[in-house]
Each structure stands twice: as structure tokens, then as C-alpha cells.
Amino acid sequence: MEEEAEEESGLGRSAAPKDFHFYHMDLYDSEDRLQLFPGDSSRIRREVTQAEDDRELGDEFVDEHRLGTLGYPSYGMRRRDPGREPRDWGEAAEAEDLGYGGGQGPLDQCQDLREAYRYTHGRASEEYECYVIPEEEDEEEPADVFCITCKTPVRTVEKDFDTHKEHEVTPISKALEHAKDEIHKNMCKLEQQIIEMENFASHLEEVFITVEENFGRQEQNFECHYNGILETLAQKYEEKIQALGEKKREKLEALYGQLVSCGENLDACRELMETVEEMCHEEKVEFLKDAVAMTDRLGKFLKTKTDVELSAQPEFEDQTLDFSDVEQLMDAINTIPAPSAPVINPQAPDSATGSSVRVCWSLYSDDTVESYQLSYRPVQDSSSGKDRAEFTMTVKETYCSVINLEPNTQYEFWVVAQNRTGPSPSSEHAVYMTAPSPPSIKTEAIRSCEEAVLICWESGNLNPVDSYTVELIQAETPEASGVTESVIGIPTCESLIQLQPRHSYTIYVRALNMGGTSARSEPATVHTTGSYFQLNKDTCHPWLTISEDGFTVVRSEKKSFRKELPPSKTQFTRCVAVMGNLIPVRGRHYWEVEVAEHLDYTVGVACEDVPKQEDLGANSLSWCMRHTFVSKRHRYEFLHNKTTPDIRITVAPRKIGVLLDYENAKLSFFNVDIAQHLYTFSCQLHQFVHPCFSLEKSGCLKICNGISMPKHVTFF
Amino acid sequence: MALKQISSIRCFGGLQKVFEHSSVELKCKMKFAVYLPSQAESGKCPALYWLSGLTCTEQNFISKSGYQQAASEPCLVVIAPDTSPRGCNIKGEDDSWDFGTGAGFYVNATEDPWKANYRMYSYVTEELPQLINANFPVDPQRMSICGHSMGGHGALICALKNPGKYRSVSAFAPICNPLLCPWGKKAFSGYLGPDESKWKAYDGTCLVKSYSGSQIDILIDQGKDDEILSNGQLLPDNFIAACTEKKIPVVFRLQEESHRRLEGNQQEC
């Protein structure tokens, strides 16, 4: 106990360690496993000592630390008492079985406790002491009951002794168990405590490290500040000294100047004196002559004031030492520095909308920051000289969504961190871009066929965008609803997209730039039934008018002007015709034309560059069916290169079906109402062709689009 | 009725066969040619009846026209009967090439000694189709008829007299108005007697004028350089005029070829 006490106070005495040592916290270190058999105590003692020596026993702190964790070696130390002889209990084996391997077994602890008890009791009763000793020697008669009152084992027979007469006794085994339990509980508590102390020890280690770090930081901080102050002081000193030096120079110069003028004065005086003296030695007549002049001269000379005032005082003024800024610096030691410049992040992809961007930045230091100031202005060409509007906003977070911006525009952003000391330097300028405005599909110019659609759109943005995306949703299919197919990376404002036949699609277009994607355009609907095209107004002969819905072609009686039209590459100038814009897909296309019985018309197909000064069918770039009603008879021609087969048709068609088949190189005409095939051209179509229509006399024809091929046609 | 296969030749993926049978209508053994495209093995195909012209047998068409290629693609079963009863030993049947043997004119004769055997009209429109439908993979709902010259005439009258039976009619240089042409007059007076009113029942142009059946689809190809045309035997204009008036849809193509050039024609079935 004494030793322990000594060690404990020693703990209080210990100074903070210079270094750390990491301790083996393992409670059950096999090296130090203490033997349970007491006979080996001396050996054990040696072992313990050995082990401890290995662990730098010389360091006082080590021991104390160990003590703090209730390491078992402390028990070992106690064991140095040479007078003690460990007991041999019959239950030694049993104690071992309790499983407290290594360290000190409960047996030992029991022993120590017993020793303690023995001590007290020993003093109290001689009898006890006496009683005890024979027990040591006498191994044939172990104690078999336990006196609770005296807390000592006794022999049953001795129970009747005076000492234990009225005492409560229990069988020794029971007592043993009880004792074991107690000890077990204490062991658990000890273990708990060990764990707690271990945790605390590691925590302390961390704290140690933190202290070092903080110290380091403070040290640096102070060093910085003090250096600053010293520099300032040195600077001031230099300045002052220099100023003094200047002053000295000034004074000396002034005085020197005075000296020089004095000297001059003296010289002048002396000269005069000499002159006067010389004069005095002259003859009277000469003397009188010169005297007058001399008198004047002297008079003048003496009138000039001699300045005998010192131009510069020898004393220097008292210097006032202005240390106010140094004081400031000193005070500022404890103030936190202004933050370092934040780092503004590049724009994250797809984080912008048409009117906003999300700007993010980070601070790569531990500086305290109270707020950030985000500034921005639109990026413009350097050529435009006008001032650009600049905006600033204050935010607390390291990100900000900036709204009310123009679409498809680049903005320069920079950010400054602020705390109560002041602002940081500005970050770099980063350029963010808003997403574009959505495009608008030219719905009136959509062309389609059973396998594809050709859509074009307006960009919706003044400046160019990077690309466009087309989104398709198949309508009418319940299982496919919500599934959007996208075509991306479209460079121009039009796209030819493959589709499934006989479906309806909803189409959207989006524009993309580096800022992100625009919102969807207004939708357009496409039906892949039959072929769908519009008339090309640019090709329309001036005598033809196209109805508002774009599908009726009218030639009126009146001719607006009779003069010859200049030849044109796009517009029909002779043949009163108009062409359609068929989707350039080499599949099968079908459309119908409604005509009146007595109408003179021509319907068919022609290449885009068909000569516009010629009639349809009069060249190799057009194939058509022409009907002329003359002398009450219907005449039908199927024209290409000005030639036609001789064909007679007995029933005049009212509705003509036209089938264009690129694959099979055929162009067929049908009487739709009676499903009658009229004629088929075999034509090798190397170019794309377009539907063409002309009216040789006044009248009108109506074009029907988007019709799926009737069955009788599909055989062709 | 028992069919006896006479020959079978593989041709364009299909089989060109010739059969013989005993005809009830004609009371003699008759041959006919049948072309079975490859698809006939797996399913029923549309049937096209080809009626040949004067002096022809079942062989002319199958050996000279090269139609098999055209038939194989739309998988048509093409049936080509003979042009008249054979071997009946009727007196005078071989006297001229344009009457009697090889010149049945597709009528049912009413005059002796022809009326017993010369019943080509019934043969072509009833007996033969029944036989074909029973023995070959054809779709009875999809039948078309065509022919050349006298056969063209036969095709036209069979179709006009049986509205709805044939999906389409194609005639190559047909005798359109036999009533008014030398061949027709000779044949009809021989088979049908002197009463011209009875001839109308077998005259295409007359039949058109009184046609009131369902829609019919007629295609006529005529060679411009056809001397028979210029001889006034064919008279297509009469037919066309009648059709125009009755609004029977006909497409009449005047080709550059002569009478004998036969084209494989794609038929709507």
C-alpha cells in the first residue's frame, strides 16, 4: 500500500512528459502472464522486473501511467516484499479454472485481500494469529467452514471455540463461492475501468496532438505578426533616420551657404579696406577724386544689409515617434486575418436553366469567413466598348443560384470572401453560361412517310447553340407511354428520324450549349401513315393559288398578268404547276388527288431541278399522268420525255392514287374509287423526286395526304 | 374425276405439269396444263386461267410465252386448257383452222353436229374450275381469267357472263366484237346457227352493253402493228366505246408489238 501511495503522489509530482510513449494496453500480455502457482513467485518477480526493464522502467512516468490503467504490474511490485510467502490453496486449481488467465489470478488477489484482512485481524487477535500459523503447516486438516463474522475459514471442530461460538458459519465451499462471486464482480468492474481508462488515454493522446497543432498555428501566427511589427519598426526607424539625415544636410547646406556669403562679404570688405588704404596713400588730388567715389561705394556697401542671422538652427527638433500603426499591428495579433481568396468552381454540366445558373466555389483554408460577395457581369466581345452592367450579391453559403439572366449567354463570375477584418482577394473569374431558350418546331413544314419524319425548327436563340436534341414519345401505346427516345448531337435545325409505320409520335426539340439543355419546345405530332408533304410555295406558278390549308390548288379564270415571266430555277414559269416537298426517303410513298371530271390536269412526280420553263412530262426529269377533256372525250397520257403510250380509259377517275416506289423503280397511277390500276412507269430514280401538279385550264384539284396505301395498291 | 399426269417439268422454282382427263362436258379426253409455283406446296394460291387463241393447244402458251417466271413471283397457279375438244371425229372439224378443232370459240354450241362436244364455255367456266379446285391448292375466291385473241374473246365473255366470278380480266389482242368480224361470223353461224340474236350472248361488246353485274376490272393490250387488228377482226374500239358508255372500267393499252407477242402480265388477284 505504501508503495502505491508513494507512486500515486509521484503521479502528482510528475511533469508533463517530453515525449509520448505508446503503451501496450493489452491486459493479457502473455509475456507478463503471471503464474498462478505461488511456488514460482520469485521467478515471477524476476520476470516482472525483467519485463518492466524492457519497457524503460527508468522512466518514472511510465510507471505512473501504468498505474493509471490499473495494470497488474502494480500488484507485482507489491510482491517484492520478500517476507511474504504465497499461500497454497487447495482450490488453486479451481481458481485457475475461473479463467482469469494471465495477470493476476483471483487467487492472488484473494490472497492479497486476505493478507489485508489478516493484517487487521492479526492485530486484533493473537489467537487468530496463532491460529493461523498451524494451519500453514498442517495440510492434513484444511478448514471446512467459514466464519462470516470473522471472515476467516475455520475448522468445524474449532467452531465451538470461544471465538466463533456465536458466530455465523457457512460451509467452506459456499463461502468460497461467495468470495469468488464477489471477486468476480470486482474483476468485471476493474475491466470496465480498464476500458474507460484506455479510451480516456487515447483521447488524451488526441488532445495532445491537437494541442501541438494549435500551438503550431499560434506560433506561426505570432511569428508572422511579430515579424510584421518588427519590419514596420525597422522601416520607421530607417525613415526617421533618413529624415534626420536630410534635415542635417539641409541645415548644413544652409549654413554653408551663409558661410560662403560671409566669406564673400569679408572679401568684399577687405578689398574695400585695401582700396581705401591705398587711397589714403595717394596724392591729395587723386585722393579727393577717389574719395568721393569711394565714399559712395562704401555708403552703398554698408547699406546692404548683412545678414547675420543664422539660417539654420543647430538644434534638431524633437522627433515624435509615431507608433500608432505599430500599436495597431500589435492589437491585430489577436484579430483574425482577412481570408484568402476563394476558388470558384467551373460550371457543373446541366446545372443551368434558361434564366439561371448555379455558381459554386470553395475555400481551401481554415480561414474564418462571415460571408461571400458574388459579382457577375455578362461576357461580351472586347470589341464592344460600352460598359457592362455589373451585379453583386452577398451570400452565406458557398453556392448561389443566380436568376433573372438572359438565356444562351455567358456571364463572368467572381467571388470575394469577407470577415470582420476585411475582404479577401478576388477569386479568378469563371465563365458560366445559361442554357438556351427552347426552339420552336416548324409544324407547318413537317414531312413524313411510313418510315421516317423530317422535322425542322427555329433555333429560338440569337446566338448559336452547340447542338439540338429531338425527343420522341410514341403515343397510343400504353406500355410505351413515358418512354422517350432521344436523338442527340444534331448540328443543324433539321433532322430526318426513322420511325415505326402506322404510329403516332409526339416530338419535342431542345437546344444545348455548355451551360445545359433548354426546356422542351412546344410539341408537334406526327402520324406515320402514308406520306405527308406540303406544297412548295416557291415553285408555284403565279397563276396558281394555294388554299390556306395548303392542299387545294386553284387556277382562276383571270390572269393577273400576261407578260412573259423571266426564267427561274425554282418557280414554274410556263407550265402552270406547283411542286410538293416530299420527304427524302427511298421507300414507298402514296398520295391521292381529287379532280373534277372535266378538269384538264397533270399529276405526277418531278426532280427538284426539273426545268421550270417546260411542261411536266416533257423532259427526262418528270413523269406524269395528264388528262385532257376535249370534244367531250377524255384523253389520257402518261408522259415522260414527251412520250406517252396509247392508253384509253373508259371510266374517268375522280380520285387518282399515286404510288411512288423507289425500291422497285415504279410510279403507278390508280383510280381509287374502283381500285383500278391505270398505268405504271418503270423509272430508275437516282435523285429524289417530288409530287407535282399542274392545271392546264382553270379549275382546282385537291391533294390528300397521310393516307395509308389501299390494299389493291400494295400488290404493286 | 381421275386426273392422269402426262408430264411434269420444273420451271422457275415451280412445276409445269400437263394432265389429261375425261371431260363430261366435252365427252372426250382433254388435256390441260397447270403451273404450280413453289408456294403452292405450303398454301393455296390464286388461280389464273389462260385461254389460248386459234389453232393453239395447251402447249403453246406454256412453251412459248415464258409466263412461268412472271407467275412464280406472285405465286399464281396458271391453268391453260385446250382450245377445243379433240378426237371427237366430227365431220368437218379439221376442214379449216379457224373453225372446229382448235377453234372452239369458248361457246356452247347449239347446232349439230357440234352441240354434243363443243361446249367449251361450260368446260371453261364450270367443269375445269371444279376439277382444279378439287385437285390443286388453289383459292376458289381468287380466280382471274385472261387470254389471247380468241382466248381474249373467251376471257371477256366468261367474265362478263359471270359477274363476280373472276377478280380481273386481261385480254391480249382479243376478238372484241365477233358479231361483226369475219371469224366471229363464221364460228357463230356454225356453232350457234343463223340467228344473230343468239350470237349476242357470246359477244363481248354486246355483253358489255347489257352488263349490270358487279364491278369488273378489264385490261386489254393490243399491238398496234397487229395485222389482224388492221384486218378488222378484233374491233377493240367498239368494245371500248361500249364500256365508256356503260362506265365499265377498262384500261386499253395500245402497244407497239404485233399480234403474237405475248407478255407475262401481272394480274391483280
Side-chain angles (χ1 to χ4, degrees):
Chain A
M1 282 305 205
E2 289 148 354
E3 288 171 19
E4 204 175 349
E6 196 183 78
E7 281 149 0
E8 278 171 354
S9 60
L11 185 65
R13 275 202 307 272
S14 68
K18 289 234 188 316
D19 338 280
F20 283 122
H21 299 279
F22 284 97
Y23 307 102
H24 213 25
M25 297 303 183
D26 184 7
L27 186 61
Y28 305 123
D29 192 326
S30 51
E31 281 174 1
D32 290 331
R33 190 159 299 202
L34 298 174
Q35 300 301 319
L36 289 176
F37 289 99
D40 298 328
S41 72
S42 51
R43 181 161 59 84
I44 289 160
R45 258 187 272 129
R46 257 182 312 186
E47 281 175 4
V48 169
T49 316
Q50 199 68 36
E52 286 174 354
D53 282 342
D54 291 341
R55 288 197 196 165
E56 302 168 57
L57 192 61
D59 193 335
E60 192 182 46
F61 182 71
V62 174
D63 297 338
E64 286 156 0
H65 190 84
R66 271 222 208 115
L67 198 66
T69 62
L70 293 174
Y72 45 86
S74 54
Y75 285 103
M77 282 182 224
R78 230 186 267 157
R79 287 176 147 263
R80 284 204 196 109
D81 188 346
R84 298 280 185 201
E85 221 182 317
R87 314 302 306 240
D88 180 23
W89 292 93
E91 289 84 11
E94 223 179 290
E96 212 177 337
D97 289 345
L98 282 175
Y100 291 121
Q104 241 182 355
L107 185 63
D108 303 328
Q109 290 171 8
C110 278
Q111 197 167 320
D112 294 322
L113 286 168
R114 280 218 67 239
E115 283 170 11
Y117 287 130
R118 201 179 297 143
Y119 228 69
T120 48
H121 283 299
R123 291 195 200 103
S125 89
E126 286 255 338
E127 212 179 342
Y128 178 79
E129 253 179 359
C130 295
Y131 166 69
V132 163
I133 292 162
E135 217 177 47
E136 267 183 358
E137 290 156 3
D138 187 351
E139 300 207 4
E140 269 91 57
E141 290 182 26
D144 48 355
V145 288
F146 187 76
C147 172
I148 294 177
T149 323
C150 305
K151 295 208 194 317
T152 177
V154 297
R155 283 206 294 248
T156 324
V157 298
E158 284 147 18
K159 181 181 174 286
D160 300 325
F161 266 62
D162 307 281
T163 330
H164 303 289
K165 223 184 233 170
E166 284 94 41
H167 295 170
E168 216 181 306
V169 282
T170 81
I172 203 84
S173 50
K174 217 172 152 201
L176 191 65
E177 272 196 35
H178 185 68
K180 279 179 196 169
D181 280 339
E182 288 282 321
I183 282 173
H184 183 58
K185 278 188 213 149
N186 287 329
M187 273 302 290
C188 289
K189 285 186 196 154
L190 279 172
E191 271 198 1
Q192 267 297 95
Q193 204 161 356
I194 285 169
I195 290 169
E196 277 175 25
M197 293 314 284
E198 276 177 359
N199 286 341
F200 184 62
S202 355
H203 181 61
L204 279 176
E205 281 174 28
E206 281 171 21
V207 172
F208 269 109
I209 293 169
T210 313
V211 165
E212 279 284 0
E213 280 178 11
N214 286 343
F215 161 76
R217 223 180 283 140
Q218 282 290 63
E219 191 184 25
Q220 233 178 0
N221 195 21
F222 278 129
E223 198 177 303
C224 227
H225 267 103
Y226 274 106
N227 280 342
I229 291 169
L230 288 172
E231 269 175 34
T232 314
L233 281 174
Q235 203 180 1
K236 283 197 172 306
Y237 169 75
E238 283 295 324
E239 281 173 15
K240 285 289 178 188
I241 290 295
Q242 213 165 14
L244 266 178
E246 282 294 319
K247 270 256 177 262
K248 175 188 93 173
R249 254 196 302 282
E250 275 172 28
K251 286 188 196 282
L252 289 179
E253 270 179 27
L255 288 171
Y256 183 72
Q258 262 193 334
L259 194 64
V260 167
S261 62
C262 264
E264 283 172 358
N265 207 319
L266 269 171
D267 286 340
C269 283
R270 279 206 194 100
E271 198 208 317
L272 278 171
M273 281 291 286
E274 280 174 20
T275 317
V276 169
E277 276 182 25
E278 271 178 34
M279 248 178 56
C280 289
H281 293 119
E282 279 173 6
E283 294 296 324
K284 291 175 194 161
V285 177
E286 300 293 327
F287 176 79
L288 283 168
K289 266 196 225 168
D290 294 324
V292 177
M294 181 50 70
T295 319
D296 282 335
R297 221 172 121 196
L298 277 172
K300 279 195 195 121
F301 182 74
L302 287 168
K303 276 205 185 111
T304 63
K305 205 162 170 277
T306 50
D307 183 10
V308 288
E309 292 290 321
L310 277 176
S311 62
Q313 294 300 321
E315 292 87 17
F316 283 90
E317 296 159 359
D318 284 337
Q319 297 294 314
T320 53
L321 292 175
D322 179 12
F323 287 119
S324 55
D325 45 357
V326 174
E327 277 170 28
Q328 253 179 29
L329 279 176
M330 302 274 291
D331 289 335
I333 270 181
N334 286 328
T335 58
I336 45 168
S340 41
V343 174
I344 193 161
N345 294 359
Q347 185 174 19
D350 273 341
S351 59
T353 69
S355 61
S356 73
V357 293
R358 190 180 153 91
V359 189
C360 301
W361 55 89
S362 353
L363 198 64
Y364 288 102
S365 63
D366 293 331
D367 301 338
T368 316
V369 171
E370 281 177 14
S371 65
Y372 294 95
Q373 281 223 311
L374 177 67
S375 310
Y376 64 94
R377 61 179 174 217
V379 170
Q380 277 173 17
D381 301 329
S382 51
S383 55
S384 75
K386 59 177 179 175
D387 285 335
R388 299 177 266 168
E390 195 176 300
F391 302 88
T392 303
M393 46 218 289
T394 306
V395 297
K396 289 234 175 255
E397 303 83 11
T398 55
Y399 58 86
C400 182
S401 280
V402 182
I403 58 173
N404 288 333
L405 300 174
E406 290 296 310
N408 200 32
T409 310
Q410 292 185 320
Y411 289 87
E412 245 183 292
F413 284 90
W414 61 97
V415 72
V416 167
Q418 288 195 321
N419 60 21
R420 56 168 196 269
T421 309
S424 75
S426 166
S427 69
E428 299 274 326
H429 288 217
V431 173
Y432 278 59
M433 193 166 189
T434 45
S437 298
S440 56
I441 299 177
K442 292 186 193 165
T443 48
E444 73 288 353
I446 295 177
R447 313 185 224 169
S448 65
C449 66
E450 299 244 315
E451 307 144 8
V453 64
L454 179 67
I455 36 167
C456 49
W457 54 85
E458 304 268 352
S459 164
N461 293 279
L462 286 170
N463 293 325
V465 297
D466 289 346
S467 70
Y468 298 94
T469 297
V470 173
E471 291 177 1
L472 313 162
I473 302 172
Q474 223 180 49
E476 298 162 359
T477 322
E479 63 269 21
S481 62
V483 171
T484 306
E485 197 188 309
S486 297
V487 181
I488 60 171
I490 302 169
T492 54
C493 286
E494 71 169 35
S495 181
L496 181 70
I497 302 167
Q498 287 202 320
L499 300 174
Q500 298 290 314
R502 289 177 295 285
H503 276 98
S504 288
Y505 292 85
T506 309
I507 297 184
Y508 300 93
V509 184
R510 296 186 198 252
L512 275 94
N513 63 13
M514 69 180 215
T517 314
S518 74
R520 276 177 167 172
S521 65
E522 289 299 313
T525 312
V526 170
H527 306 284
T528 50
T529 309
S531 294
Y532 188 83
F533 60 86
Q534 297 86 19
L535 293 174
N536 185 345
K537 296 194 168 86
D538 293 337
T539 61
C540 193
H541 189 281
W543 294 351
L544 285 181
T545 39
I546 302 172
S547 67
E548 223 181 278
D549 67 2
F551 291 113
T552 305
V553 178
V554 180
R555 177 175 170 163
S556 54
E557 289 283 350
K558 287 186 271 186
K559 289 175 194 162
S560 17
F561 40 86
R562 291 171 141 266
K563 64 178 178 190
E564 283 270 317
L565 291 160
S568 162
K569 284 218 164 129
T570 43
Q571 191 184 33
F572 284 100
T573 51
R574 209 183 100 160
C575 184
V576 184
V578 64
M579 258 175 30
N581 273 332
L582 189 64
I583 188 174
V585 168
R586 295 187 75 88
R588 296 189 349 153
H589 301 275
Y590 178 78
W591 61 93
E592 292 175 357
V593 189
E594 282 178 20
V595 292
E597 210 181 311
H598 300 159
L599 184 68
D600 282 0
Y601 59 83
T602 308
V603 296
V605 300
C607 299
E608 198 163 337
D609 50 356
V610 68
K612 306 293 189 303
Q613 299 78 249
E614 294 177 10
D615 283 347
L616 290 176
N619 47 53
S620 61
L621 296 173
S622 52
W623 297 258
C624 52
M625 165 181 167
R626 172 171 296 168
H627 167 256
T628 329
F629 188 70
V630 64
S631 313
K632 293 187 187 169
R633 294 181 68 178
H634 295 275
R635 183 166 139 229
Y636 294 93
E637 294 168 287
F638 291 88
L639 291 158
H640 173 66
N641 261 334
K642 289 200 183 109
T643 55
T644 175
D646 202 325
I647 298 239
R648 270 171 254 180
I649 296 173
T650 57
V651 176
R654 291 277 181 89
K655 202 189 265 189
I656 299 159
V658 184
L659 173 69
L660 170 64
D661 188 340
Y662 282 95
E663 306 279 306
N664 295 319
K666 284 188 181 160
L667 177 70
S668 303
F669 297 87
F670 299 87
N671 182 332
V672 175
D673 294 329
I674 56 175
Q676 182 189 36
H677 167 254
L678 299 174
Y679 185 74
T680 298
F681 285 100
S682 292
C683 40
Q684 285 297 328
L685 298 163
H686 299 290
Q687 298 177 41
F688 287 113
V689 292
H690 298 280
C692 57
F693 314 87
S694 77
L695 291 167
E696 278 67 62
K697 291 220 174 74
S698 65
C700 71
L701 55 77
K702 185 168 171 227
I703 298 157
C704 302
N705 255 337
I707 302 168
S708 59
M709 272 179 270
K711 210 164 160 219
H712 66 96
V713 165
T714 58
F715 288 113
F716 278 78
Chain B
M1 225 168 289
L3 284 181
K4 183 168 133 188
Q5 183 169 301
I6 305 291
S7 65
S8 176
I9 301 164
R10 193 155 271 281
C11 189
F12 287 102
L15 289 164
Q16 180 63 69
K17 294 178 184 257
V18 177
F19 290 88
E20 189 185 67
H21 71 113
S22 292
S23 165
V24 170
E25 289 282 352
L26 308 176
K27 298 191 181 58
C28 64
K29 284 213 168 67
M30 284 293 282
K31 289 198 198 138
F32 62 88
V34 174
Y35 175 75
L36 297 166
S38 55
Q39 291 85 346
E41 288 162 32
S42 42
K44 293 199 172 182
C45 296
L48 179 67
Y49 287 83
W50 169 265
L51 305 178
S52 293
L54 288 166
T55 77
C56 292
T57 65
E58 81 286 352
Q59 287 294 322
N60 300 68
F61 183 58
I62 65 175
S63 26
K64 289 189 191 176
S65 67
Y67 77 92
Q68 288 88 347
Q69 182 174 15
S72 63
E73 194 195 328
C75 43
L76 295 172
V77 171
V78 183
I79 304 113
D82 204 341
T83 49
S84 73
R86 301 272 168 178
C88 301
N89 287 322
I90 300 169
K91 190 167 181 284
E93 66 182 2
D94 293 322
D95 285 352
S96 38
W97 61 276
D98 56 0
F99 182 79
T101 303
F105 270 87
Y106 303 103
V107 300
N108 284 349
T110 53
E111 297 288 300
D112 280 326
W114 312 103
K115 67 182 182 190
N117 301 94
Y118 276 71
R119 294 181 57 78
M120 284 303 288
Y121 175 73
S122 290
Y123 179 71
V124 167
T125 55
E126 282 163 45
E127 183 177 357
L128 191 57
Q130 280 168 14
L131 190 67
I132 299 294
N133 289 345
N135 288 284
F136 297 96
V138 294
D139 183 352
Q141 302 303 317
R142 293 196 287 171
M143 264 195 331
S144 290
I145 191 161
C146 54
H148 171 244
S149 189
M150 178 184 74
H153 145 81
L156 287 173
I157 63 170
C158 287
L160 289 166
K161 284 161 83 72
N162 295 282
K165 189 183 178 81
Y166 300 99
R167 287 287 193 94
S168 68
V169 187
S170 297
F172 295 88
I175 299 166
C176 298
N177 202 184
L179 218 47
L180 298 178
C181 77
W183 277 336
K185 285 180 183 168
K186 178 173 177 181
F188 284 4
S189 57
Y191 295 129
L192 303 172
D195 187 359
E196 284 195 15
S197 59
K198 286 195 199 161
W199 299 0
K200 287 184 185 171
Y202 293 103
D203 181 302
T205 306
C206 298
L207 287 168
V208 163
K209 284 181 185 162
S210 57
Y211 184 77
S212 58
S214 56
Q215 186 171 300
I216 192 167
D217 194 352
I218 303 173
L219 175 65
I220 300 176
D221 270 299
Q222 175 63 58
K224 251 195 222 168
D225 286 340
D226 191 346
E227 67 278 11
I228 296 168
L229 174 68
S230 39
N231 286 345
Q233 295 280 17
L234 303 177
L235 304 169
D237 292 335
N238 296 354
F239 185 77
I240 287 165
C243 287
T244 308
E245 209 183 301
K246 289 295 288 185
K247 303 238 183 295
I248 308 284
V250 174
V251 176
F252 175 79
R253 303 195 291 213
L254 204 60
Q255 309 276 11
E256 292 298 330
E257 293 77 24
S258 64
H259 191 73
R260 279 291 168 185
R261 190 177 184 287
L262 303 173
E263 290 177 10
N265 188 34
Q266 273 194 349
Q267 296 292 317
E268 289 174 11
C269 292

